[in-house]
Amino acid sequence: MVKVVICGAAGGIGQPLSLLLKQSDLISHLALFDVVNAPGVAADLSHINTRSKVTGHGKEAMSEALKDAHTVVIPAGVPRKPGMSRDDLFKINAGIIRDLAEGVANNCPNAFVLVISNPVNSTVPIVCEVLKKHGVFNPKKVFGISTLDVVRSSRFVSEVNPAVDPSTRVTVVGGHSGVTIVPLLSQIPGGFVDGLSEEKLGELTHRIQYGGDEVVKAKDGAGSATLSMAYAGARFTLKLLEATVAGKSGLVESSYVNLDADVEHTAEFKSKTGLDYFAQDVEFGTEGVSKIIPLPEVSAYEKKLLEAAIPELKINIAKGASFITDSA
Ligand SMILES: NC(=O)C1=CN([C@@H]2O[C@H](COP(=O)(O)OP(=O)(O)OC[C@H]3O[C@@H](n4cnc5c(N)ncnc54)[C@H](O)[C@@H]3O)[C@@H](O)[C@H]2O)C=CC1
Ligand SMILES: O=C([O-])CC(=O)C(=O)O
């Protein structure tokens, strides 16, 4: 039985994400949890004639929803409005994520946990610290979903140079907010960056780093990216299921992870930077993270971007981790 739980399933991301996951035969039970409207969304989805059973679980039924889950995807919490940073969401979302992580520790301690809720740079450390507190932390099983940064990069690159197919993978590392998002455009095959002026490269990098703001502004108070995020979230979740359920090897996706997930390939980076978490290309295996792919040789421009990302990431990580450790 492969039970996948969506926490925040009735929301802007939760609904289309649930719809996309309903199409997968790898899932046998899709459990939708939300503090509002979960039974309604579940009833609707349950009429679709694919393999999975769908159940809805309201406010009082978190434990029932999470019980024995294989994978838990978390897009629960509030989104940004214009003028807000992702970090401004911490006040509300940190507590929501802590409570859901407690639920995971108590009901499905072996589950893969995929965190979408912002600020991802801090919510992932919150989940990890809660799981550590309960003695059930496995760094190979907790993922911050930064896939939307990769999806945007591929799209925006193809707009700058139509010769690059929009499905071309772009390596994006760092974290998931502003300067912590570091696209490694020098890695795109075919000498993509060589054809760009310094100004164009700066503009494209900035667009990738602040792509979320474009949507927040266009939605004008009605929230942030939901449909592109659902696409990115489904792509990540399904790839992980292909590795963990169907046993496919060699699948790679970028993710914001605890670097202890692969000490062999991260020890040097960790001691050099002092970072415990970083988004990097991750190869999936049956246990979750099978390998964190080391950073490639980066350009001088990207080196500067990394230098700007690291101190900001440290602040975000410390804020998330101490939210749990200081209250112990
Ligand atoms: N990682 C990424 O790339 C992205 C992350 N996000 C983040 O995802 C989160 C959700 O965004 P939207 O779906 O647009 O927001 P939304 O407000 O439309 O939906 C959030 C849902 O979470 C539910 N919820 C609130 N507290 C809950 C709890 N304790 N347990 C279960 N469900 C709960 C709400 O009832 C609501 O249905 C936001 O924090 C947003 O910033 C958004 C886009 C991209
Ligand atoms: O911008 C936001 O607040 C939502 C998000 O994380 C994104 O779209 O990348």
Side-chain angles (χ1 to χ4, degrees), residues 64-328:
E64 174 191 82
L66 290 171
K67 195 86 205 141
D68 301 328
H70 174 280
T71 295
V72 179
V73 192
I74 308 184
V78 290
R80 284 198 285 167
K81 288 191 171 15
M84 291 171 82
S85 71
R86 289 185 184 81
D87 187 55
D88 291 334
L89 302 172
F90 187 92
K91 280 190 286 300
I92 298 177
N93 289 352
I96 294 175
I97 297 307
R98 175 200 54 211
D99 296 349
L100 290 168
E102 294 276 350
V104 167
N106 292 322
N107 296 286
C108 51
N110 293 319
F112 298 96
V113 186
L114 282 47
V115 185
I116 293 174
S117 313
N118 274 315
V120 166
N121 293 357
S122 305
T123 51
V124 171
I126 290 176
V127 171
C128 294
E129 288 302 327
V130 170
L131 298 179
K132 277 185 206 169
K133 208 177 74 181
H134 287 262
V136 295
F137 176 54
N138 180 348
K140 293 184 184 300
K141 292 193 153 186
V142 181
F143 300 89
I145 304 200
S146 53
T147 317
L148 184 51
D149 300 322
V150 178
V151 166
R152 283 186 179 128
S153 298
S154 297
R155 179 67 217 170
F156 298 166
V157 160
S158 77
E159 288 174 13
V160 167
N161 181 351
V164 180
D165 190 272
S167 68
T168 301
R169 252 190 70 75
V170 179
T171 302
V172 185
V173 301
H176 178 65
S177 74
V179 298
T180 71
I181 298 171
V182 179
L184 302 181
L185 302 175
S186 66
Q187 301 302 308
I188 299 172
F192 169 76
V193 282
D194 300 336
L196 288 185
S197 65
E198 220 171 276
E199 193 192 354
K200 270 263 170 261
L201 176 63
E203 277 172 19
L204 177 59
T205 301
H206 185 273
R207 190 173 181 213
I208 292 167
Q209 292 183 318
Y210 294 92
D213 296 51
E214 246 180 59
V215 183
V216 170
K217 198 163 162 227
K219 290 201 174 177
D220 198 17
S224 55
T226 55
L227 301 173
S228 49
M229 181 60 235
Y231 168 83
R235 174 169 124 179
F236 186 93
T237 308
L238 294 173
K239 222 178 238 190
L240 182 67
L241 291 176
E242 277 187 33
T244 57
V245 176
K248 262 200 192 167
S249 58
L251 297 174
V252 172
E253 199 63 81
S254 178
S255 183
Y256 181 72
V257 290
N258 184 295
L259 296 175
D260 286 345
D262 179 8
V263 176
E264 186 191 340
H265 294 103
T266 60
E268 196 186 324
F269 176 81
K270 217 177 139 168
S271 77
K272 215 163 73 186
T273 60
L275 289 171
D276 291 326
Y277 296 82
F278 201 68
Q280 238 162 300
D281 277 344
V282 166
E283 192 175 317
F284 298 142
T286 49
E287 292 305 308
V289 173
S290 107
K291 182 180 180 188
I292 298 179
I293 297 169
L295 279 182
E297 191 77 44
V298 302
S299 68
Y301 177 69
E302 290 159 358
K303 198 159 173 272
K304 282 214 184 83
L305 295 179
L306 281 169
E307 281 164 10
I310 290 168
E312 175 87 10
L313 267 173
K314 276 188 191 160
I315 294 169
N316 297 159
I317 292 164
K319 186 170 176 176
S322 64
F323 181 70
I324 302 304
T325 53
D326 288 0
S327 66

